[in-house]
């Protein structure tokens, strides 16, 4: 039994050692009395002596409850050592602006234009392609989206990101029968995870050129967790 545990340890260590996902700093400011703005700096480093590649959508940012299958950043919030598995504690300012702009649109033509711009900018999706229901066009667009999300890092290379988050100072959350409360005094911590997989490539890339591309890239897969860093939800 001890040998099995040792084997599992070394397998896990070899996977996690491929990259380092680390939160470098978090700063906050109450831009308005009812809202707190967080600026989160984090990085991903190739810790190996080989070039590596993986698929990641850095703009995708979800709580653990909704992001288990996400290929973006998934976050967890802890109160002391207690994991709070609730819905998104952060508000989506871009979505709020989008909704307000749609509400202020004078006609359907303006709303369609606003939707086109939003989908293209935030999801790299073409509304006209979706409306046409042309599977061939959708497949091409889907491939472009995934292909543009391939990140390749040279040996020991680091790529840095900055994420801006907004909290509307809501403290009480209820998910079905579970209740959560962000205490005004207790310390809170945030942790990131990413799940890297190449399954999408097996489904989306099937041409000879694509197969050649994939063979030339050293794709890694696995589940990677960052450090925990304190985030200020105090009064």
């Amino acid at each position: 039994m001890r040998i099995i545990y040792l084997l599992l340890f070394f397998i896990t260590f070899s996977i996690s050692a491929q990259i380092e996902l680390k939160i470098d700093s978090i700063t906050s400011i109450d831009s308005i009395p009812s809202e707190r703005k967080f600026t989160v700096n984090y990085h991903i480093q190739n810790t190996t002596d080989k070039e590596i590649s993986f698929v990641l959508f850095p703009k995708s940012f979800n709580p653990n409850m909704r992001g288990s299958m996400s290929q973006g950043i998934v976050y967890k919030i802890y109160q002391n050592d207690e994991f709070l598995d609730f819905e998104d504690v952060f508000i989506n300012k871009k979505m709020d602006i989008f909704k307000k702009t749609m509400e202020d649109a004078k006609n359907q033509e303006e709303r369609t234009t606003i939707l086109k711009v939003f989908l293209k900018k935030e999801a790299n999706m073409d509304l006209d392609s979706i409306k046409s229901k042309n599977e061939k066009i959708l497949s091409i667009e889907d491939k472009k989206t995934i292909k543009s999300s391939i990140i390749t890092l040279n040996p020991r290379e680091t790529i840095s990101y900055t994420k801006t988050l907004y909290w509307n100072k809501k403290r009480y959350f209820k998910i079905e029968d579970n209740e959560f409360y962000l205490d005004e005094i207790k310390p809170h911590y945030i942790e990131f995870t990413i799940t890297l997989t190449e399954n999408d490539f097996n489904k989306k890339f099937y041409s000879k050129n694509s197969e050649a591309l994939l063979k030339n890239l050293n794709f890694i897969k696995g589940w990677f967790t960052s450090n925990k860093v304190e985030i200020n939800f105090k009064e």
Side-chain angles (χ1 to χ4, degrees):
M1 184 63 70
R2 185 181 179 186
I3 294 175
I4 294 174
Y5 283 135
L6 286 172
L7 285 172
L8 288 173
F9 170 79
F10 284 118
I11 290 171
T12 303
F13 180 80
S14 64
I15 291 174
S16 62
Q18 290 175 307
I19 64 171
E20 176 189 64
L21 171 62
K22 185 177 181 181
I23 301 172
D24 299 306
S25 65
I26 301 177
T27 58
S28 64
I29 184 173
D30 289 3
S31 46
I32 57 175
S34 61
E35 183 179 279
R36 185 165 297 170
K37 174 183 175 182
F38 298 97
T39 302
V40 184
N41 295 302
Y42 67 99
H43 74 258
I44 299 173
Q45 181 185 24
N46 175 4
T47 58
T48 74
D49 295 322
K50 298 179 180 180
E51 182 181 87
I52 62 171
S53 298
F54 51 88
V55 181
L56 183 68
F57 297 83
K59 287 186 178 181
S60 175
F61 191 83
N62 295 295
N64 185 75
M65 179 175 283
R66 290 195 282 108
S68 58
M69 301 301 293
S70 171
Q71 284 187 290
I73 302 295
V74 175
Y75 74 85
K76 293 181 178 180
I77 298 293
Y78 295 85
Q79 186 162 270
N80 281 331
D81 295 324
E82 178 190 1
F83 168 47
L84 305 179
D85 193 12
F86 51 17
E87 283 283 353
D88 207 338
V89 67
F90 303 109
I91 59 176
N92 191 326
K93 295 274 283 189
K94 290 182 179 179
M95 183 60 72
D96 290 345
I97 293 171
F98 166 70
K99 289 178 180 178
K100 181 66 169 60
T101 308
M102 288 288 278
E103 290 172 0
D104 293 341
K106 298 177 181 178
N107 49 52
Q108 184 57 43
E109 185 178 352
E110 282 191 10
R111 283 189 285 273
T112 301
T113 301
I114 293 166
L115 180 58
K116 280 184 179 180
V117 172
F118 181 80
L119 288 176
K120 190 65 178 176
K121 183 177 180 181
E122 298 302 323
N124 198 23
M125 294 173 61
D126 190 312
L127 183 60
D128 292 330
S129 296
I130 296 172
K131 284 184 175 181
S132 69
K133 295 183 180 180
N134 186 318
E135 291 186 5
K136 184 176 181 180
I137 294 176
L138 286 173
S139 177
I140 292 171
E141 291 295 326
D142 202 11
K143 288 179 184 179
K144 286 180 180 178
T145 300
I146 293 182
K147 197 171 180 179
S148 66
S149 300
I150 298 175
I151 296 175
T152 298
L153 295 178
N154 294 319
R156 308 295 171 179
E157 183 182 1
T158 298
I159 184 168
S160 297
Y161 298 96
T162 297
K163 181 71 179 178
T164 302
L165 304 171
Y166 295 90
W167 173 50
N168 61 2
K169 299 193 176 182
K170 177 182 176 182
R171 294 192 177 277
Y172 175 74
F173 299 84
K174 184 174 182 180
I175 310 298
E176 296 179 348
D177 295 329
N178 299 315
E179 295 179 308
F180 303 94
Y181 185 79
L182 291 174
D183 193 277
E184 299 93 335
I185 300 174
K186 293 179 181 178
H188 296 86
Y189 303 89
I190 190 169
E191 175 186 81
F192 291 171
T193 62
I194 55 176
T195 303
L196 305 181
T197 173
E198 54 181 299
N199 291 336
D200 279 343
F201 291 98
N202 297 329
K203 298 175 184 177
K204 307 294 183 183
F205 291 87
Y206 48 82
S207 69
K208 290 183 178 179
N209 291 335
S210 298
E211 288 175 3
L213 167 67
L214 296 179
K215 287 179 180 178
N216 290 333
L217 296 177
N218 181 25
F219 277 95
I220 63 169
K221 53 186 178 180
W223 186 60
F224 304 90
T225 304
S226 76
N227 52 327
K228 288 182 187 176
V229 175
E230 187 169 359
I231 185 166
N232 181 22
F233 289 127
K234 296 178 181 180
E235 286 293 347

